[in-house]
Amino acid sequence: CTNQYLNANDNNYLHNVRSLIYLIFAEYFNTVPAVSGFSSKNALSRILIYMTEHFTENLTLGAVGAALGYSPKYVSNCISSLSGFNFRRLLNSLRVEYAKNLLINEKQLTVMDVAMRSGFLNERSFHRAFLDIVGTTPASYRRTKTAVK
Protein backbone atom coordinates (compact mmCIF):
# COMPACT_ATOMS: atom_id res chain seq x y z
CA CYS A 1 0.00 0.00 0.00
CA THR A 2 1.14 3.51 -0.67
CA ASN A 3 -0.94 5.04 2.08
CA GLN A 4 0.98 7.44 4.33
CA TYR A 5 -0.34 5.79 7.50
CA LEU A 6 0.81 2.30 6.66
CA ASN A 7 4.33 1.23 7.45
CA ALA A 8 6.45 -1.88 7.91
CA ASN A 9 5.41 -2.10 11.57
CA ASP A 10 1.76 -2.62 10.64
CA ASN A 11 2.12 -6.38 10.05
CA ASN A 12 -0.77 -7.23 12.38
CA TYR A 13 -2.99 -4.70 10.65
CA LEU A 14 -2.00 -5.91 7.19
CA HIS A 15 -2.69 -9.49 8.21
CA ASN A 16 -6.16 -8.55 9.49
CA VAL A 17 -7.08 -6.54 6.39
CA ARG A 18 -5.78 -9.24 4.06
CA SER A 19 -7.74 -11.84 6.02
CA LEU A 20 -10.91 -9.76 5.67
CA ILE A 21 -10.35 -9.32 1.94
CA TYR A 22 -9.62 -13.04 1.46
CA LEU A 23 -12.80 -13.93 3.33
CA ILE A 24 -14.78 -11.58 1.13
CA PHE A 25 -13.18 -13.00 -2.01
CA ALA A 26 -13.82 -16.57 -0.87
CA GLU A 27 -17.46 -15.83 -0.08
CA TYR A 28 -17.94 -14.04 -3.36
CA PHE A 29 -16.26 -16.64 -5.52
CA ASN A 30 -18.23 -19.43 -3.86
CA THR A 31 -21.62 -17.73 -4.32
CA VAL A 32 -21.39 -16.05 -7.72
CA PRO A 33 -21.38 -18.24 -10.83
CA ALA A 34 -18.68 -17.70 -13.45
CA VAL A 35 -19.58 -15.25 -16.18
CA SER A 36 -18.12 -15.52 -19.67
CA GLY A 37 -16.33 -12.49 -21.05
CA PHE A 38 -15.74 -9.60 -18.66
CA SER A 39 -16.24 -10.96 -15.20
CA SER A 40 -17.90 -9.12 -12.37
CA LYS A 41 -15.48 -11.09 -10.18
CA ASN A 42 -12.62 -9.26 -11.86
CA ALA A 43 -14.41 -5.96 -11.25
CA LEU A 44 -14.91 -6.84 -7.59
CA SER A 45 -11.23 -7.72 -7.27
CA ARG A 46 -10.27 -4.32 -8.63
CA ILE A 47 -12.76 -2.58 -6.34
CA LEU A 48 -11.54 -4.40 -3.22
CA ILE A 49 -7.89 -3.76 -4.01
CA TYR A 50 -8.58 -0.08 -4.62
CA MET A 51 -10.55 0.22 -1.39
CA THR A 52 -7.80 -1.55 0.55
CA GLU A 53 -5.23 0.90 -0.79
CA HIS A 54 -7.33 4.04 -0.21
CA PHE A 55 -9.61 3.37 2.78
CA THR A 56 -8.08 6.10 4.96
CA GLU A 57 -8.99 8.72 2.37
CA ASN A 58 -12.38 10.37 1.90
CA LEU A 59 -13.63 7.44 -0.16
CA THR A 60 -17.05 7.41 -1.84
CA LEU A 61 -18.77 5.14 -4.31
CA GLY A 62 -18.29 7.87 -6.90
CA ALA A 63 -14.55 8.16 -6.20
CA VAL A 64 -14.03 4.39 -6.45
CA GLY A 65 -16.08 4.22 -9.63
CA ALA A 66 -14.28 7.17 -11.22
CA ALA A 67 -10.86 5.73 -10.37
CA LEU A 68 -11.72 2.37 -11.90
CA GLY A 69 -13.97 3.44 -14.76
CA TYR A 70 -17.22 2.11 -13.28
CA SER A 71 -20.43 3.84 -12.37
CA PRO A 72 -21.15 4.26 -8.64
CA LYS A 73 -24.20 2.02 -9.06
CA TYR A 74 -22.06 -0.74 -10.59
CA VAL A 75 -19.56 -0.49 -7.73
CA SER A 76 -22.41 -0.68 -5.23
CA ASN A 77 -23.97 -3.68 -6.96
CA CYS A 78 -20.65 -5.56 -7.07
CA ILE A 79 -20.09 -5.02 -3.36
CA SER A 80 -23.66 -5.66 -2.25
CA SER A 81 -23.66 -9.00 -4.03
CA LEU A 82 -21.52 -10.20 -1.12
CA SER A 83 -23.64 -11.64 1.64
CA GLY A 84 -25.17 -8.38 2.81
CA PHE A 85 -22.08 -6.15 2.66
CA ASN A 86 -22.67 -2.69 1.32
CA PHE A 87 -20.07 -0.08 0.41
CA ARG A 88 -20.22 1.79 3.72
CA ARG A 89 -20.06 -1.39 5.81
CA LEU A 90 -17.07 -2.70 3.87
CA LEU A 91 -15.28 0.63 4.08
CA ASN A 92 -15.96 0.92 7.81
CA SER A 93 -14.76 -2.67 8.34
CA LEU A 94 -11.44 -1.87 6.67
CA ARG A 95 -11.11 1.29 8.73
CA VAL A 96 -12.03 -0.42 12.00
CA GLU A 97 -9.49 -3.22 11.40
CA TYR A 98 -6.80 -0.60 10.97
CA ALA A 99 -8.05 1.30 14.02
CA LYS A 100 -7.91 -1.84 16.17
CA ASN A 101 -4.23 -2.18 15.34
CA LEU A 102 -3.57 1.48 16.16
CA LEU A 103 -5.47 1.29 19.44
CA ILE A 104 -3.36 -1.62 20.63
CA ASN A 105 0.05 -0.74 19.21
CA GLU A 106 0.06 3.06 19.24
CA LYS A 107 -0.87 3.83 22.82
CA GLN A 108 0.30 7.44 22.56
CA LEU A 109 -2.48 8.18 20.06
CA THR A 110 -5.78 9.47 21.37
CA VAL A 111 -9.01 7.88 20.20
CA MET A 112 -9.56 10.98 18.07
CA ASP A 113 -6.11 10.53 16.47
CA VAL A 114 -6.93 6.90 15.73
CA ALA A 115 -10.27 7.92 14.20
CA MET A 116 -8.61 10.44 11.89
CA ARG A 117 -5.77 8.14 10.85
CA SER A 118 -8.28 5.41 10.10
CA GLY A 119 -10.22 7.60 7.68
CA PHE A 120 -13.18 8.63 9.80
CA LEU A 121 -14.24 12.26 9.56
CA ASN A 122 -15.00 12.62 13.25
CA GLU A 123 -14.84 10.73 16.53
CA ARG A 124 -18.60 10.22 16.68
CA SER A 125 -18.79 8.34 13.35
CA PHE A 126 -15.73 6.32 14.39
CA HIS A 127 -17.29 5.42 17.73
CA ARG A 128 -20.57 4.40 16.09
CA ALA A 129 -18.90 2.25 13.39
CA PHE A 130 -16.51 0.66 15.89
CA LEU A 131 -19.32 -0.21 18.27
CA ASP A 132 -21.40 -1.65 15.43
CA ILE A 133 -18.58 -3.81 14.04
CA VAL A 134 -16.65 -4.81 17.16
CA GLY A 135 -19.42 -4.64 19.75
CA THR A 136 -17.58 -2.35 22.13
CA THR A 137 -16.24 1.21 22.18
CA PRO A 138 -12.73 2.00 20.96
CA ALA A 139 -11.59 3.03 24.45
CA SER A 140 -12.98 -0.13 26.01
CA TYR A 141 -11.37 -2.24 23.28
CA ARG A 142 -8.00 -0.59 23.98
CA ARG A 143 -8.32 -1.17 27.75
CA THR A 144 -9.28 -4.81 27.27
CA LYS A 145 -6.56 -5.61 24.73
CA THR A 146 -3.75 -3.79 26.49
CA ALA A 147 -4.56 -4.91 30.04
CA VAL A 148 -1.79 -6.90 31.71
CA LYS A 149 -2.98 -10.39 32.50
Side-chain angles (χ1 to χ4, degrees):
C1 290
T2 58
N3 192 293
Q4 65 182 356
Y5 296 116
L6 306 183
N7 61 51
N9 297 327
D10 286 341
N11 289 333
N12 186 36
Y13 153 73
L14 290 174
H15 173 74
N16 287 341
V17 168
R18 285 184 183 128
S19 296
L20 177 63
I21 295 299
Y22 292 145
L23 287 171
I24 292 168
F25 274 124
E27 180 67 26
Y28 185 72
F29 291 142
N30 288 330
T31 59
V32 177
V35 178
S36 60
F38 182 75
S39 171
S40 61
K41 291 179 184 180
N42 185 30
L44 180 64
S45 298
R46 292 182 66 209
I47 292 165
L48 292 175
I49 290 166
Y50 186 85
M51 288 180 70
T52 301
E53 292 174 346
H54 299 276
F55 69 89
T56 61
E57 300 167 15
N58 186 16
L59 208 55
T60 63
L61 276 170
V64 174
L68 300 174
Y70 304 134
S71 73
K73 184 173 173 77
Y74 183 75
V75 172
S76 178
N77 288 341
C78 281
I79 293 170
S80 67
S81 66
L82 302 169
S83 306
F85 275 84
N86 62 36
F87 175 79
R88 182 61 45 199
R89 177 73 178 197
L90 177 59
L91 181 59
N92 283 344
S93 294
L94 292 170
R95 289 173 172 172
V96 165
E97 281 304 312
Y98 184 60
K100 285 166 52 179
N101 181 60
L102 291 176
L103 287 166
I104 294 169
N105 296 311
E106 303 291 336
K107 295 175 185 79
Q108 77 282 5
L109 295 177
T110 66
V111 171
M112 181 63 179
D113 291 337
V114 170
M116 298 307 206
R117 286 190 180 195
S118 301
F120 290 94
L121 297 177
N122 58 59
E123 193 172 355
R124 183 171 182 235
S125 62
F126 172 56
H127 186 273
R128 190 176 1 187
F130 199 95
L131 186 59
D132 180 50
I133 292 167
V134 180
T136 189
T137 66
S140 181
Y141 179 85
R142 175 180 264 172
R143 279 192 304 273
T144 302
K145 295 297 182 180
T146 59
V148 178
K149 295 181 179 173

